[in-house]
């Protein structure tokens, strides 16, 4: 597949850009933050997006989706990154629906995927337990209880936790923390008995929550995928999730960079446009080069999902690592090159840096991904 | 079977039958490459055999038109030939400035006579070309060149000197930028001349580099007579051709950054070993991982730009980064190679150290970000032309 968007994909990207610039710009995020909105996102807007097919863009047609693939989903996420659009796209579509589609049985898919595609059901993955993303170190205990299990433990960084209708809980059904075998995935209701959820306001003004499970009873029927075999499917879903987040980071970085370049062409100091200073020019040129590499990696990785390539895991680790590196540099340089105004809350660029750090950490940051990339390369 | 599939099959069969066994392993160093010329040197007779067979098919220059000694292949066929050659690890049969630089410029700017005179001899390896661009006073600021060409009626009289002329001591002909007019802006008055290096008045002195090798020369012109018909393109407007060729050169140098041989990290595992599945030197491991990541991202970018061009989108702005990024990658690669190989990398002479191949390659790489437009010039070009910062 050539590394270039076809006409249909370009049209989707343009349409998403236009829609989001009008309906979900940074000002919308600012308003949600300032009013301490109870949901943390606009349900009306989410319905509109679902009606355009976005929530089901990568879901197969026989489960109510558009079956348009992950390149399409990635393009929308990239444009959402440009506008810092808040929606359950990441939690419920990129991760939730992907996991169910990869591992769920037909009945589960029938029950869940069409509802997700309609924007009526939010499903989130509860995975991380400590400060860092370490999926194999899942320790949340699953104690055998009759025909099923009883789950107890704590999860953090659960995206959209307090609004999730259902959660997929990664639990330890055998072995010990650190073993890749012995992790299982259970689907529970967001309001199931024994589950409590604390909304955590994060630096990026989005919804991530702390979820505590206290003897939550699940049956074998709640299992998504194989008992003890959750890691394999989790790894694939996380590869996809990290590529999607990379697409969002790419859009975020491009917007941040372009805004900075415009500023360099307007701001005068010492009777000169600051963009005429070579020290800034060369740093800008270097960012441009890195962003071009970022674009190539994101597109190649999105295509690797749709092609079901063997090197998907490697491409995902490489792409997320590269975009984490780029995002850290570009958002920092954005603040530095803007000077004092970049430090103010009134100016939008701070939001870009805040969202970047949160997206970087979600499902594995730069050092996690670079280490994974090296391991997958055999060193 | 589609035409392309058939072409692939036929190509594969032909290569298997015609590429000598010894030409199916990677070149150890620059001395394994074949440049042809009037007095060619072949380390092994198979090199000549391979060059001649490929030249007879026109595949030393696969995309050139057949009437000028080329293979007449379109982009897709050329890509297939390239893929089939890599599959067998066939060496490039012939390389040099004639193929990579002058040929494409002749096709674009040369007269019919010039194309017919020079291109077939480039394709067959009969003539070795060098490039006369930089001067002692005109490096990064190439357009300030001063080598003078006086109009003497039926010929130009050349006086001046060039520096950093690659392979001038072996070359048969030179394509050379000279000044035919001194009155306008510095970009005006430059002309593009082709002439024989055996013309009286041409002398060449190799320059010894920090690598202990002399890939470049100083070239002096004292009253060198060049016939008027050797002017390529329009008089005084040679800067257009020069710029065109610089783009070609930058693409060629940027190709250095692409990983062609075995993966870099495999050498590291051989030299340093693993501990619990990870490279034993954890600090070096991080640096190598960053490099491997950037090599991958850079090669995907070359691929993307190629695909965009092919799809009719034109050469995108991304191509401006190739020279800058590719050469910096290659320098990092060489630095890390020194770290990985340790004592083995420091050897300068002797069979155990391949006569200092590694250290000399490392030293030579330092020139990558200087020649063909320095890294700083490339960053100026990106910031001014692409980003519009002035």
């Amino acid at each position: 597949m050539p590394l270039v968007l076809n006409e249909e994909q370009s049209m989707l990207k343009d349409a998403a850009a236009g829609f989001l610039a009008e309906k979900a710009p940074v000002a919308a995020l600012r308003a949600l933050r300032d009013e301490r909105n109870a949901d943390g996102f606009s349900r009306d807007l989410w319905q509109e997006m679902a009606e355009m097919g976005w929530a089901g863009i990568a879901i197969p047609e026989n489960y109510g989706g558009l079956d348009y693939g992950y390149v399409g989903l990635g393009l929308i996420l990239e444009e959402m990154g440009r506008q810092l659009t808040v929606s359950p796209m990441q939690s419920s579509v990129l991760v939730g629906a992907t996991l169910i589609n990869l591992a769920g049985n037909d009945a589960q898919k029938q029950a869940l995927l069409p509802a997700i595609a309609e924007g009526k059901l939010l499903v989130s993955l509860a995975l991380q337990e400590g400060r860092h993303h370490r999926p194999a170190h899942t320790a949340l205990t699953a104690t055998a209880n009759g025909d099923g299990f009883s789950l107890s433990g704590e999860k953090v960084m659960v995206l959209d936790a307090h609004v999730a209708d259902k959660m997929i809980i990664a639990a330890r059904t055998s072995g010990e923390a650190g073993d890749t075998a012995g992790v299982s995935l259970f689907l529970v209701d967001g309001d199931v008995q024994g589950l409590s959820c604390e909304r955590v306001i994060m630096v990026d003004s989005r919804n991530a929550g702390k979820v505590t499970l206290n003897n939550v009873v699940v049956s074998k029927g709640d299992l998504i995928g194989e008992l003890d075999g959750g890691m394999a499917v989790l790894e694939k879903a996380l590869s996809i999730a990290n590529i999607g987040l990379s697409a969002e980071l790419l859009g975020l970085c491009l917007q941040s960079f372009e805004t900075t370049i415009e500023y360099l062409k307007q701001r005068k100091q010492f009777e000169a446009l600051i963009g005429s200073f070579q020290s800034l020019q060369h740093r800008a040129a270097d960012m441009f080069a890195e962003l071009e590499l970022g674009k190539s990696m994101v597109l190649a990785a999105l295509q690797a999902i749709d092609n079901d390539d063997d090197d998907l895991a490697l491409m995902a680790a490489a792409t997320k690592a590269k975009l984490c590196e780029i995002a850290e540099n570009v958002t920092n340089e954005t603040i530095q090159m803007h000077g004092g105004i970049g430090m103010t809350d009134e100016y939008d660029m701070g939001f870009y840096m805040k969202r970047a750090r949160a997206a970087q950490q979600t499902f594995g940051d730069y050092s996690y991904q670079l280490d994974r990339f090296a391991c997958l390369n055999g060193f | 079977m589609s035409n392309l599939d058939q072409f692939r099959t036929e190509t594969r069969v032909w290569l298997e039958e015609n590429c000598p066994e010894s030409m199916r392993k990677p070149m150890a160093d620059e001395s394994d490459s074949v440049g042809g010329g009037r007095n060619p040197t072949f380390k092994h007779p198979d090199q000549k055999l391979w060059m001649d067979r490929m030249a007879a098919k026109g595949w030393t220059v696969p995309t050139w038109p057949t009437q000028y000694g080329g293979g007449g292949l379109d982009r897709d066929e050329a890509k297939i030939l390239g893929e089939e050659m890599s599959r067998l690890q066939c060496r490039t049969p012939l390389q040099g400035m004639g193929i990579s630089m002058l040929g494409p410029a002749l096709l674009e700017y040369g007269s019919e006579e010039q194309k017919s005179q020079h291109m077939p001899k480039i394709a067959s390896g009969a003539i070795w070309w060098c490039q006369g661009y930089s001067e002692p006073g005109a490096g990064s600021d190439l357009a300030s060149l001063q080598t003078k060409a006086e109009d003497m009626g039926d010929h130009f009289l050349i006086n001046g000197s060039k520096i950093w002329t690659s392979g001038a001591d072996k070359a048969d002909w030179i394509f050379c930028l000279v000044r035919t007019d001194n009155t306008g802006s510095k970009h005006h008055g430059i002309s593009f001349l082709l002439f024989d290096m055996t013309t009286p008045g041409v002398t060449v002195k190799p320059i010894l580099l920090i690598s202990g090798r002399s890939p470049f020369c100083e070239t002096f012109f004292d009253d060198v007579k060049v016939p008027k018909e050797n002017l390529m393109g329009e008089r005084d407007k040679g800067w257009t051709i020069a710029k065109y060729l610089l783009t070609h050169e930058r693409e060629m140098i940027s190709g250095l950054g692409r990983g062609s041989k075995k993966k870099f990290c495999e050498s590291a595992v051989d030299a340093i070993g693993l501990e619990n599945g990870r490279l034993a030197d954890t600090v070096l491991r991080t640096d190598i991982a960053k490099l491997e990541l950037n090599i991958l991202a850079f090669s995907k970018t070359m691929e993307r730009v190629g695909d965009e061009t092919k799809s009719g989108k034109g050469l995108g702005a991304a191509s401006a980064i190739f020279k800058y990024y590719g050469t910096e990658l290659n320098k990092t690669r060489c630095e890390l190679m020194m770290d990985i190989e340790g004592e083995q990398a420091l050897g300068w002479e002797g069979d155990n150290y391949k006569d200092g191949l590694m250290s000399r390659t490392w030293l030579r790489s330092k020139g990558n970000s200087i020649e063909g437009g320095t890294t700083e010039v490339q960053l100026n070009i990106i910031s001014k032309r692409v980003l519009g910062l002035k």
Side-chain angles (χ1 to χ4, degrees), chain B residues 7 57-82 99 103-104 107 119 123 248:
Chain B
F7 177 77
K57 294 274 286 182
W59 285 358
T60 50
V61 283
T63 58
W64 291 11
T66 47
Q67 76 262 36
Y68 305 130
L73 302 189
D74 65 24
R75 215 189 130 101
D76 291 329
E77 291 167 333
K79 194 174 167 196
I80 289 172
L81 173 60
I99 288 179
L107 275 176
M119 293 183 72
H248 258 270

Side-chain angles (χ1 to χ4, degrees), chain B residues 118-361:
Chain B
H118 298 300
M119 293 183 72
K121 289 180 186 167
I122 294 171
S124 68
I127 293 293
W128 176 316
W129 284 84
C130 65
Q131 163 183 266
Y133 267 35
S134 298
E135 296 182 6
S140 288
D141 182 15
L142 179 62
S144 67
L145 61 94
Q146 291 302 328
T147 291
K148 194 168 67 173
E150 271 180 278
D151 190 336
M152 306 300 280
D154 64 338
H155 68 271
F156 292 109
L157 194 65
I158 319 292
N159 279 287
S161 68
K162 293 284 173 184
I163 196 164
W164 309 123
T165 11
S166 306
D169 52 339
K170 302 183 192 80
D172 308 307
W173 276 65
I174 187 168
F175 52 97
C176 193
L177 294 176
V178 296
R179 185 155 294 285
T180 37
D181 185 6
N182 230 336
T183 57
S185 81
K186 65 182 179 183
H187 294 106
H188 170 83
I190 293 172
S191 296
F192 197 97
L193 288 185
L194 315 174
F195 56 93
D196 197 315
M197 289 290 279
T198 60
T199 316
V202 179
T203 48
V204 172
K205 189 176 143 206
I207 304 166
L208 188 64
L209 295 188
I210 51 178
S211 61
R213 305 261 192 249
S214 302
F216 301 108
C217 301
E218 283 178 280
T219 309
F220 302 93
F221 309 120
D222 296 297
D223 288 338
V224 177
K225 289 183 184 176
V226 175
K228 279 274 180 73
E229 62 263 29
N230 291 21
L231 173 72
M232 184 168 133
E234 271 188 77
R235 179 170 169 169
D236 294 338
K237 292 186 180 162
W239 184 244
T240 314
I241 310 179
K243 273 195 300 185
Y244 170 86
L245 277 179
L246 280 173
T247 313
H248 258 270
E249 182 177 26
R250 284 167 190 166
E251 279 169 17
M252 194 166 63
I253 297 172
S254 65
L256 295 168
R258 273 185 295 184
S260 52
K261 296 158 204 147
K262 83 169 173 180
K263 272 199 166 172
F264 195 75
C265 52
E266 290 170 23
S267 311
V269 172
D270 290 347
I272 294 166
L274 296 172
E275 258 174 38
N276 303 322
R278 288 175 167 80
L279 196 70
D281 182 333
T282 53
V283 177
L284 190 54
R285 178 175 182 264
T286 304
D287 289 342
I288 295 170
K290 283 184 191 176
L291 176 73
E292 286 286 10
L293 174 54
N294 284 333
I295 288 174
L296 173 65
F298 186 62
S299 76
K300 290 287 176 199
T301 304
M302 304 275 263
E303 189 182 331
R304 174 167 66 88
V305 171
D307 288 342
E308 284 171 359
T309 312
K310 199 174 161 189
S311 74
K313 293 195 177 190
L315 192 60
S319 64
I321 75 167
F322 288 166
K323 203 281 173 176
Y324 158 61
Y325 213 94
T327 54
E328 294 298 332
L329 266 186
N330 196 47
K331 287 200 301 180
T332 307
R333 185 209 299 262
C334 290
E335 274 310 333
L336 283 179
M337 186 52 83
M338 296 298 286
D339 294 339
I340 288 168
E341 299 294 338
E343 179 269 350
Q344 270 293 307
L346 296 173
W348 189 251
E349 289 180 2
D351 290 343
N352 286 342
Y353 302 94
K354 296 182 183 164
D355 283 327
L357 174 62
M358 228 172 276
S359 52
R360 291 168 197 269
T361 305

Side-chain angles (χ1 to χ4, degrees), chain A residues 268-283:
Chain A
K268 274 192 177 170
Q269 290 283 273
F270 308 106
E271 290 84 45
L273 291 172
I274 60 173
S276 68
F277 300 144
Q278 202 174 40
S279 68
L280 298 186
Q281 288 179 346
H282 284 191
R283 277 153 58 192

Side-chain angles (χ1 to χ4, degrees), chain A residues 1-5 10 257 261 264-265 273 275-278 280-282 284-286 288-297 299-300 311 314-315 317-319 321-322 325 366 370-375 377-379, chain B residues 263 265-266 268-269 274 277-279 284-286 288-290 292-294 296-305 307-308 311 313 317-318 320-321 324-325 375-380 382-384 386-390:
Chain A
M1 196 184 291
L3 269 179
V4 57
L5 296 183
S10 298
F257 176 69
I261 295 299
L264 295 181
K265 291 176 184 174
L273 291 172
S276 68
F277 300 144
Q278 202 174 40
L280 298 186
Q281 288 179 346
H282 284 191
D286 186 61
F288 172 80
E290 290 290 344
L291 283 166
E292 288 300 319
L293 266 62
K295 285 182 194 170
S296 315
M297 288 302 289
L299 182 55
D311 65 352
L314 189 139
M315 282 302 292
T319 304
K322 190 70 204 166
E325 183 195 42
Y366 174 72
L370 194 69
D371 175 70
R372 185 166 163 76
F373 172 72
C375 288
N377 264 308
F379 72 107
Chain B
K263 272 199 166 172
C265 52
E266 290 170 23
V269 172
L274 296 172
R278 288 175 167 80
L279 196 70
L284 190 54
R285 178 175 182 264
T286 304
I288 295 170
K290 283 184 191 176
E292 286 286 10
L293 174 54
N294 284 333
L296 173 65
F298 186 62
S299 76
K300 290 287 176 199
T301 304
M302 304 275 263
E303 189 182 331
R304 174 167 66 88
V305 171
D307 288 342
E308 284 171 359
S311 74
K313 293 195 177 190
I321 75 167
Y324 158 61
Y325 213 94
T375 279
E376 289 70 24
V377 166
Q378 300 308 312
L379 291 174
N380 283 346
I382 296 170
S383 54
K384 290 189 169 64
V386 181
L387 302 178
L389 298 173
K390 285 173 184 124

